[in-house]
Structure formats: C-alpha cells, structure tokens
Amino acid sequence: MPHDVRDQVVDFVRRWSEKTEIGVGRFPQWLGIGASKFYDWRQRYGRVNEHNGWIPRDFLAGAVGEGSDHRHFHWKNLWKGIGG
C-alpha cells in the first residue's frame, strides 16, 4: 500500500477515535485490516516505504569505471579460448 494512503488510514482512525471515544483497537477490524498491520503502519507513520531487500553494489551491477574493463574483456573473448 502506498505510504500516503497508509498514513491517511492512520489519520482517519485517530480522528474518529477521538471524536467518538471508541478505542483505536476496534477500527482496524472494522476496516478489514489486522491489528498488527495497523500498529506497524502507525509506527511507520510519515515514512516512505523502503526497500528491505538486497541491493547490488556498483561493482556487481556493471558500472562503468574501475572493474568493468576486465568483465568486458572476459565476455568479448570468452569463445576465443573455447575452440573459437
């Protein structure tokens, strides 16, 4: 879910909980989301969604510069050593 929508849900729950004096814990069930998911959203309020996976570094992504010359040479000459 986009972070701005997530934050709007958290704002909605806070606003209506204050106006109606209904506990915050009831709203997630009524909205069809799990309580733990809502509390995670509340902790991440105001933050963008961040990638938590492995991020390849420049030397692995084939960046131009140091280290890329030997890869270019290798792929260019790969078949020459295999009977080519």
Side-chain angles (χ1 to χ4, degrees):
M1 174 173 294
H3 72 281
D4 53 343
V5 175
R6 180 188 71 214
D7 289 351
Q8 288 176 0
V9 171
V10 172
D11 287 337
F12 173 85
V13 170
R14 284 182 182 161
R15 182 173 49 253
W16 283 101
S17 178
E18 290 173 5
K19 286 183 179 186
T20 61
E21 297 182 7
I22 297 174
V24 171
R26 291 186 178 228
F27 283 91
Q29 182 181 7
W30 292 342
L31 295 173
I33 57 175
S36 62
K37 176 68 71 181
F38 174 75
Y39 289 111
D40 287 345
W41 289 356
R42 204 165 73 168
Q43 285 182 327
R44 291 173 26 214
Y45 184 84
R47 298 184 195 158
V48 297
N49 293 331
E50 295 180 3
H51 188 277
N52 62 350
W54 182 77
I55 300 172
R57 297 293 167 213
D58 291 342
F59 67 90
L60 295 176
V64 177
E66 183 180 335
S68 65
D69 292 337
H70 77 278
R71 284 192 302 274
H72 176 71
F73 177 82
H74 172 73
W75 289 111
K76 181 180 169 187
N77 299 299
L78 176 66
W79 296 107
K80 287 184 182 177
I82 307 177

